[in-house]
Amino acid sequence: MRGVKTLLIVSAAVLVLAGCGAREEQLSDTPAAPGVENTTTDNQPGVDEPATEGQPEDAESGEQQGQDGEQPTDNDTEAVPQERTIKVYRTDDQLMELHESEETISYTNDQELLEAALAKLQEDGDDGQMSLWKPIQINMATVEDGNVVLDLTIPDEARYGSGGEMYTIDAITKTVFQFEAFETLDLLVDGGQAESLMGHVILEHPFVKSP
């Protein structure tokens, strides 16, 4: 009787062990639920990899910002006019002597400086001062490398006597040579080098500023 009981116990133990082994094998062969086991992102569908090569959008954006943010160059900057007080020479109505007066002009370069000074020279002054250059027609006024060239037409009313012609030349040379930028002055008549403006005083071609 005791031998039969022992046999039953051993048989039960063998069955239990066999059942556990089968259970473990079944669990290892059972496929995992979707989305549980594969947790890496190497091949996940729908996940975009960040752009790393070239990054063209950022480069284009940088170029656009560079173009929009360009600083203006010196050539794009408008010149600021400067004012200057100059000396202008006129005479009295009897052409007895030259009178010096001061005028204010505005200019941005040497060409404008020359033109502004000539414009003042052709204006009558205060207290009856008369411009000897008012009736003279200035056809051209240029300056290059410090050399001033004026092309003139002398009408009959601007043909003074010898004293008036001398004052006319003195007035223009003193007006032009007061500026450090101008070194020579050539007076042409109707496009050519004339011996004299009005027939009394010999012209130099060109007049040169005294040191």
Side-chain angles (χ1 to χ4, degrees):
M1 185 68 169
R2 181 178 296 176
V4 174
K5 186 180 293 186
T6 300
L7 181 59
L8 291 174
I9 292 173
V10 172
S11 299
V14 172
L15 291 175
V16 171
L17 292 174
C20 290
R23 175 63 176 172
E24 290 177 359
E25 184 177 355
Q26 181 179 5
L27 289 175
S28 62
D29 295 338
T30 302
V36 174
E37 186 171 334
N38 295 328
T39 57
T40 62
T41 59
D42 292 342
N43 298 313
Q44 287 186 11
V47 178
D48 294 334
E49 292 294 328
T52 58
E53 184 177 353
Q55 296 183 343
E57 294 183 358
D58 291 343
E60 291 177 1
S61 176
E63 289 180 2
Q64 185 65 34
Q65 290 178 0
Q67 294 173 0
D68 295 341
E70 287 181 356
Q71 297 297 323
T73 62
D74 292 340
N75 294 334
D76 299 330
T77 303
E78 184 176 354
V80 178
Q82 53 182 312
E83 290 189 349
R84 178 170 179 171
T85 300
I86 67 170
K87 296 176 181 180
V88 181
Y89 299 89
R90 304 180 178 95
T91 188
D92 54 78
D93 58 356
Q94 299 299 316
L95 280 68
M96 297 299 294
E97 61 180 339
L98 281 181
H99 298 276
E100 178 185 298
S101 60
E102 292 187 344
E103 306 280 352
T104 300
I105 61 172
S106 178
Y107 64 97
T108 61
N109 53 50
D110 289 346
Q111 181 66 37
E112 291 185 4
L113 173 62
L114 174 63
E115 293 173 357
L118 293 176
K120 289 294 184 181
L121 185 63
Q122 289 188 300
E123 294 177 0
D124 290 331
D126 299 330
D127 302 328
Q129 293 181 3
M130 184 182 72
S131 169
L132 291 165
W133 279 81
K134 186 174 183 178
I136 297 176
Q137 180 179 334
I138 301 177
N139 304 316
M140 179 192 69
T142 63
V143 55
E144 184 176 356
D145 297 330
N147 302 309
V148 176
V149 177
L150 303 182
D151 180 36
L152 313 172
T153 293
I154 311 296
D156 291 340
E157 60 268 26
R159 295 187 179 277
Y160 311 117
S162 58
E165 184 177 0
M166 178 64 71
Y167 288 147
T168 300
I169 296 173
D170 285 349
I172 188 65
T173 54
K174 288 182 177 181
T175 298
V176 170
F177 287 153
Q178 70 181 297
F179 305 116
E180 58 277 4
F182 306 146
E183 297 295 333
T184 68
L185 170 64
D186 200 4
L187 299 177
L188 308 180
V189 178
D190 296 326
Q193 290 186 346
E195 183 178 354
S196 174
L197 285 182
M198 305 166 191
H200 308 288
V201 180
I202 301 299
L203 291 176
E204 297 180 24
H205 293 289
F207 292 96
V208 179
K209 180 192 294 186
S210 300

